[in-house]
Amino acid sequence: MKARFLLPLGLFAALVVLFAVGLGLNPREVPSPLIDKQAPTFTLPQLHAPEASFGSRELTQQPVALVNIWASWCVACRQEHPFLMELAQRGDVPIYGLNYKDERADAIAWLKRHGNPYRVSGHDLDGRVGIDWGVYGVPETFVVDGRGVIRYKHIGPITPQVWREKMEPVVRQLQQGGA
Amino acid sequence: MRIFCLALLLLVATSAVASIGVYEFETPEQEVRFKRLSEELRCLVCQNQSLADSNAELALDLRRQVHTMILAGKSNADIVEFMTERYGDFVLYRPPLRAATVLLWVGPFVLLLLGVVVLGRLVRQRASGTGNDDAQLDVAEQKRLEQILRRRGE
């Protein structure tokens, strides 16, 4: 007799828990299949110097680097920009930029106005390299190790909290692991 | 004024065509494949639309990618592999059967089975009359029922 009432109640409670967890997840955070894989090879013209190139080779010149996908039309990029500037000033980890589907002049003007935290930015005008990197929403930031393997990907603007809790531990570990 | 309206209409018309994107194919078979593929691949920006439905920039780019790959003679499997390598199973409206997706594929049938079992048990209980003691009256209730009936009969 008791079980007859307890069973639906139990099922209901299980559903509530399931939905609560499901609603708490962010559907925009699609796990990237690129994690722990070799970063896609690419060669792009540099944003500031179109005749020079920027490619995967530059990413393996240090034990760890950040690759930030950005665009002047991207609102959330502006939001994370001050923090990228701060990171660049600290100089712990080199930041490379991938300027995604942007007009060169717009991108350069944007960096002039807000500051340029990037060592180099590649200019991906048609977004083809972005597709190889599985980019679907700017800004996105990849942590790439010295062998050119993607170790972490963050979708959306980097906040100090995201940096402290998610990205910095990965970066530190790679830096301590030696080249 | 009329010319202005005409110009405006023409402008709207061209931009509409531009955003949908007209692709040319060598064979009708290629076009069919293009349509099938862009309906089965999911746009990652507007997550409940397929590439075919979506007008997001990324969907446009991915449609163009599918188009060039078809013209380059790639098979459907090649194209699906290309997409999943970059965007994961999420890009597929029909994800492959794996440990992580078993619940997705089997879940509805498990629920259906559960429903059938529960329904079957309920029906059997009703039919056999056991289990619903509520319908049976105990002695006191029976007496009260008789009382009421007698009063009515008076």
Side-chain angles (χ1 to χ4, degrees):
Chain A
M1 194 64 194
K2 239 183 198 167
R4 244 171 83 192
F5 294 110
L6 282 181
L7 190 68
L9 193 67
L11 280 176
F12 177 71
L15 266 185
V16 167
V17 170
L18 186 73
F19 290 160
V21 171
L23 284 171
L25 296 174
N26 183 359
R28 299 225 145 251
E29 268 169 32
V30 180
S32 172
L34 291 167
I35 305 291
D36 290 330
K37 298 234 174 73
Q38 198 70 30
T41 47
F42 67 95
T43 318
L44 283 173
Q46 290 186 12
L47 182 65
H48 287 92
E51 64 288 344
S53 72
F54 165 65
S56 345
R57 211 171 306 145
E58 273 76 21
L59 299 181
T60 53
Q61 285 169 352
Q62 55 278 308
V64 54
L66 299 184
V67 179
N68 179 248
I69 323 284
W70 66 281
S72 68
W73 47 260
C74 148
V75 181
C77 297
R78 247 187 97 168
Q79 190 189 331
E80 76 171 357
H81 205 73
F83 186 70
L84 286 183
M85 290 301 291
E86 193 189 317
L87 271 186
Q89 259 152 27
R90 278 193 234 158
D92 293 348
V93 54
I95 308 172
Y96 292 96
L98 191 73
N99 179 241
Y100 178 69
K101 302 198 71 168
D102 212 349
E103 292 300 329
R104 190 183 295 277
D106 292 346
I108 291 175
W110 194 83
L111 286 183
K112 208 174 217 170
R113 183 137 43 105
H114 302 290
N116 183 359
Y118 309 110
R119 275 212 179 163
V120 185
S121 275
H123 186 218
D124 185 20
L125 179 61
D126 61 2
R128 185 59 189 75
V129 172
I131 291 181
D132 280 343
W133 282 69
V135 171
Y136 62 90
V138 259
E140 291 186 9
T141 308
F142 295 82
V143 178
V144 180
D145 73 10
R147 288 174 296 131
V149 174
I150 294 176
R151 302 300 285 265
Y152 188 80
K153 176 187 183 182
H154 178 72
I155 297 156
I158 303 178
T159 59
Q161 191 194 2
V162 165
W163 173 252
R164 221 170 31 240
E165 289 172 10
K166 303 264 174 71
M167 305 183 77
E168 198 175 19
V170 180
V171 169
R172 290 268 172 270
Q173 197 198 338
L174 287 171
Q175 281 172 337
Q176 279 156 16
Chain B
M1 187 61 198
R2 194 175 286 173
I3 288 184
F4 174 74
C5 281
L6 187 69
L8 197 71
L9 280 174
L10 281 174
L11 196 74
V12 168
T14 51
S15 68
V17 169
S19 73
I20 291 163
V22 181
Y23 292 105
E24 291 193 3
F25 296 90
E26 287 154 1
T27 64
E29 181 254 341
Q30 285 180 335
E31 192 169 351
V32 172
R33 279 177 55 207
F34 177 77
K35 278 195 182 136
R36 284 277 307 272
L37 276 168
S38 42
E39 273 160 18
E40 281 191 14
L41 292 170
R42 168 153 43 180
C43 169
L44 287 108
V45 181
C46 29
Q47 301 187 338
N48 284 326
Q49 284 186 308
S50 68
L51 288 189
D53 296 332
S54 172
N55 267 329
E57 278 273 323
L58 182 71
L60 235 72
D61 291 351
L62 290 182
R63 279 207 298 267
R64 194 189 315 136
Q65 186 64 33
V66 170
H67 176 246
T68 41
M69 286 182 84
I70 285 178
L71 286 194
K74 301 277 199 239
S75 72
N76 286 7
D78 289 339
I79 297 173
V80 166
E81 194 192 319
F82 175 93
M83 293 295 171
T84 43
E85 263 176 10
R86 286 159 180 77
Y87 295 101
D89 290 341
F90 192 85
V91 78
L92 305 174
Y93 266 122
R94 284 188 298 160
L97 188 58
R98 298 211 177 122
T101 56
V102 161
L103 194 64
L104 204 60
W105 282 101
V106 183
F109 298 105
V110 170
L111 283 182
L112 183 69
L113 197 73
L114 209 74
V116 168
V117 168
V118 168
L119 188 71
R121 272 185 54 178
L122 273 179
V123 167
R124 219 173 312 133
Q125 254 175 21
R126 288 267 159 88
S128 67
T130 58
N132 51 355
D133 327 328
D134 303 352
Q136 307 282 329
L137 301 179
D138 60 24
V139 185
E141 281 171 335
Q142 191 68 37
K143 251 190 194 149
R144 174 121 178 80
L145 177 67
E146 274 162 22
Q147 255 178 17
I148 292 170
L149 288 176
R150 217 176 300 136
R151 213 177 298 152
R152 282 208 145 184
E154 278 169 8

